[in-house]
Amino acid sequence: MVSAVLLAVGAGSGAGEDGGREIAARILGAALVDDGAWEKLAWLSDRIGPRLSGSPQLERAIEWAVEEFRRDGIDSVWTEKVLVPHWVRGPESARIVSPVEHPLAVLALGMSEPTREGGVSGPVVEVASLEQLEGLGADAVRGKIVLYNKAIERNGGEHSGYGSAVGLRANGAAAAAKLGAVGMLIRSLGTASFRLPHTGAMRYEDGVPRIPAAAIAAEDAELIHRLLASGETVRVHFSLGCKSLPDAESANVVADLKGREKPEEIVVIGAHLDSWDVGTGAIDDGAGVAIVMQTMRLLKARGLVPRRTVRAVLFTNEENGVRGAEDYAGRHAAELARHVAAVEIDSGAGAPKGVRVSAGPGGEEIVRRIAAVLDVIDADAVSSPGGGADISKMRPAGVPQLALWQDSTYYFDYHHSQADTLDKVDPDDLRKNVAALALLAYGLADLEEPLPRLEPERP
Amino acid sequence: MVSAVLLAVGAGSGAGEDGGREIAARILGAALVDDGAWEKLAWLSDRIGPRLSGSPQLERAIEWAVEEFRRDGIDSVWTEKVLVPHWVRGPESARIVSPVEHPLAVLALGMSEPTREGGVSGPVVEVASLEQLEGLGADAVRGKIVLYNKAIERNGGEHSGYGSAVGLRANGAAAAAKLGAVGMLIRSLGTASFRLPHTGAMRYEDGVPRIPAAAIAAEDAELIHRLLASGETVRVHFSLGCKSLPDAESANVVADLKGREKPEEIVVIGAHLDSWDVGTGAIDDGAGVAIVMQTMRLLKARGLVPRRTVRAVLFTNEENGVRGAEDYAGRHAAELARHVAAVEIDSGAGAPKGVRVSAGPGGEEIVRRIAAVLDVIDADAVSSPGGGADISKMRPAGVPQLALWQDSTYYFDYHHSQADTLDKVDPDDLRKNVAALALLAYGLADLEEPLPRLEPERP
């Protein structure tokens, strides 16, 4: 099977049939026996740890990444300064105070205001959607604590996946505050029930009161639901000591492997170096960082130099601001026309399934030919759309948007929680991801003609 | 299939073939459409909550159980006072202090002494067994914190199940203290990894220093392991504010359904009313309590009166002392010769698989005939040994020891943790457990000749 499918890479690359086969074999072979990504990830998650924007750990991670790229012999490595939000968690607690006394497993949402001294109390109004909240109206919500209680499921897709509920987390506090709520709680956006709260970003709206917002464990949301369903008034108290400090200096880390023919044309492979503060950011997005870094090392060490430049970008502040991505797109605005593709790796460390892509007409078919060789590791599926939060900032300039498509069945079991730790990563899957990204990056950068671009958006 | 297997109950009971079938049909039919056990369990876990010995919640649970038995029309309900240990959890925290700073998810083990003011610190010595610790000797252990790091697996059996590691939790502090350790930590005895510590009982030995003992999350034990494996000295600090207060008054709750021919002969069906303090004791052992209580209600409501008395015993203090069981066996010592069988229900709320039994020669075969009718709900398996912590106190008197055999695949995911909550229970499985226990209790109490007894043990 290997020899049959390896033929395919020749069709996608400009290296000719034999050259394509040979390069694919070198990449796959090298990636599948190499634990370099694991070693990088172990250092980043175990030794540096959680890396929220503004933290000393994020600064250490940036320094480490620069040094590591250099140790790996990458041609050109630099940082690009970015001012990032500096939100810090404080002491936090929550409990049902009536009709029973029951502690709630709680985490403030990122960017939440603290509660006032002594915390906030009130009866709970439970809804499963913003529409349901609107339907209740201000008289039912004023002075209360709104609980968004929507369960999500593993591989739940549009109906009950993460994407179906993340809007509640982001916008739920503002929506509740408009109707006079004094606090906002949300059932954690997680796909397992181990009394584990999952944090994540939220935002306020100008002119709307900034009420405190926190996530509680699935079990606790279900208990409140059962008590409400039995006709009780449920009163909750919570206290958040988080705060926002002045913006902090941070940086994107950029590293180039110069192309052999058109070094001014760039394929970006990107992941984010920041993480939430409660786990060690192993799957979100330490794994992506390690896969990107090891891809660079592998291409360099094997002397695999495609036509165009492969650029690693380790973005800062993806989690609570996306300032790194905004800075990159702004700073490099004039060069985005020469950014021929951007690939985001931010779905954990599950086995690669293939590639997701958004490109101009015919682009998906070209990606399909590049990815065909990944059949040997069951990673040759191609689907659309592609992209990710960081590279989306290059979308208006028409840069084709791709993502490494990974098995994310268990990703949301741990995502944004204190259980996002190294043990959740399978070293074998990590190697396969390096193989997949290295093949994809090389293939994209070595095309005779670059991928068809997306239609630019008006500014 | 139903009619075929229902024939079997006649063989085990004294009701004759037709009577046996009829009774089995009434029990199964009644149990499988009834949510009474769920309602009881919901009240016990959601409304009363965690019930550690000495807590006001355990007192409320005892009062509630008495009232509930009476509401259910049980003939004779009473409490038997028991003095129980009164250990209470306090503030607790733990962290790796070098070579990295990392918080550990921690729970004091039940009955642990507190740390001295300011906590305890030391380098970690990691072992997977008591034998390995002995092998290291005092020079390697003195002044250090011993970490017992043994992973257990779902359905791990003898090799890697709960039973293979619970001795470390119970005796590990004393073993470590004998070699001069200053503290004891143990990887939580749980079968899932969600940064969730699992508590449980430990004991000290006379004449051996009483060092503080706590469980940490699996992830944290693995991190310490990785750091040690890389050659680092790992220093940990932990602080436990738990304490032991004077013994508290508690009680077993006893309820009788008098037998129609030999009311002085007794089949005990038992579960424990106390629980650990961190979840709501839904699966350990609220489910057992609800199954026992609903079995009594069902037999009473349907007018099903076997030859002998069926006695529900809701034991106190199973978790950290087994004082309820000791009291029962002592108080009723003179009557244990007329205790013809004891069944323990303390394996959660998973679907019933059958019955586990330890009885005299031929006893297992008789149980097999009684259980045969449970084929309709796939719960007719019979195996040995049987028994449980509470009824084991009747074992020396020769009382046959049985247990409801339940699917416990996921039991140790949640056991003794804050995730032991009502949502872990499937209402349908709970109904099936009531069906299984009601059939078993009726069958045992209605035998013409009681089960062959076990050989009495010398006192």
Side-chain angles (χ1 to χ4, degrees), chain A residues 259-292:
Chain A
R260 68 174 190 274
E261 285 184 12
K262 298 182 175 178
E264 73 287 1
E265 293 189 4
I266 294 166
V267 171
V268 165
I269 55 176
H272 65 87
L273 207 41
D274 66 308
S275 78
W276 283 106
D277 54 334
V278 289
T280 62
I283 64 169
D284 185 14
D285 184 25
V289 166
I291 293 163
V292 166

Side-chain angles (χ1 to χ4, degrees), chain A residues 130 133-134 148 171-180 205 208:
Chain A
L130 295 173
L133 183 72
E134 306 291 325
Y148 293 95
N171 306 315
K178 283 177 193 166
L179 299 176
E205 286 181 28
V208 176

Side-chain angles (χ1 to χ4, degrees), chain A residues 64-147:
Chain A
W64 165 80
V66 169
E67 290 162 16
E68 190 78 357
F69 272 133
R70 289 185 177 145
R71 274 190 292 270
D72 288 344
I74 307 307
D75 313 337
S76 179
V77 185
W78 68 97
T79 58
E80 297 179 346
K81 275 193 186 159
V82 182
L83 281 181
V84 294
H86 190 183
W87 178 88
V88 293
R89 188 175 303 283
E92 49 199 7
S93 66
R95 62 182 202 276
I96 302 175
V97 292
S98 72
V100 296
E101 270 279 347
H102 177 86
L104 304 172
V106 70
L107 283 176
L109 294 182
M111 311 307 285
S112 173
E113 294 285 323
T115 55
R116 63 171 176 265
E117 190 94 16
V120 59
S121 291
V124 176
V125 176
E126 181 196 22
V127 294
S129 68
L130 295 173
E131 295 67 35
Q132 194 186 346
L133 183 72
E134 306 291 325
L136 290 178
D139 286 350
V141 174
R142 195 174 303 110
K144 297 189 177 156
I145 292 169
V146 170
L147 168 64

Side-chain angles (χ1 to χ4, degrees), chain A residues 222 226, chain B residues 30-42 283 287 290-291 294 349-352 406 421-435:
Chain A
E222 292 195 8
R226 288 192 299 270
Chain B
L32 296 179
V33 299
D34 184 357
D35 275 329
W38 176 264
E39 287 158 17
K40 292 182 199 302
L41 177 56
I283 64 168
I291 293 163
Q294 188 63 14
Q406 298 169 281
T421 49
L422 183 63
D423 53 292
K424 306 310 181 304
V425 178
D426 178 314
D428 192 45
D429 288 341
L430 203 60
R431 283 186 215 107
K432 287 181 185 170
N433 277 303
V434 173

Side-chain angles (χ1 to χ4, degrees), chain A residues 339-388:
Chain A
H339 279 57
V340 298
V343 186
E344 185 147 330
I345 303 89
D346 188 16
S347 305
K353 298 167 71 172
V355 183
R356 296 184 66 92
V357 54
S358 294
E364 190 171 328
E365 185 49 36
I366 295 169
V367 171
R368 202 174 296 278
R369 288 203 297 274
I370 296 172
V373 68
L374 291 168
D375 180 47
V376 292
I377 54 169
D378 290 323
D380 60 328
V382 175
S383 177
S384 67

Side-chain angles (χ1 to χ4, degrees), chain A residues 136-222:
Chain A
L136 290 178
D139 286 350
V141 174
R142 195 174 303 110
K144 297 189 177 156
I145 292 169
V146 170
L147 168 64
Y148 293 95
N149 189 358
K150 175 169 182 0
I152 65 170
E153 291 173 19
R154 288 182 184 145
N155 293 326
E158 272 178 47
H159 179 62
S160 62
Y162 181 73
S164 73
V166 69
L168 298 177
R169 193 187 69 207
N171 306 315
K178 283 177 193 166
L179 299 176
V182 295
M184 175 273 211
L185 295 174
I186 184 167
R187 177 194 182 113
S188 286
L189 304 189
T191 47
S193 287
F194 286 84
R195 206 82 181 272
L196 182 70
H198 299 242
T199 188
M202 57 81 61
R203 56 176 170 252
Y204 293 110
E205 286 181 28
D206 289 344
V208 176
R210 298 161 68 90
I211 62 174
I216 60 174
E219 287 93 335
D220 294 328
E222 292 195 8

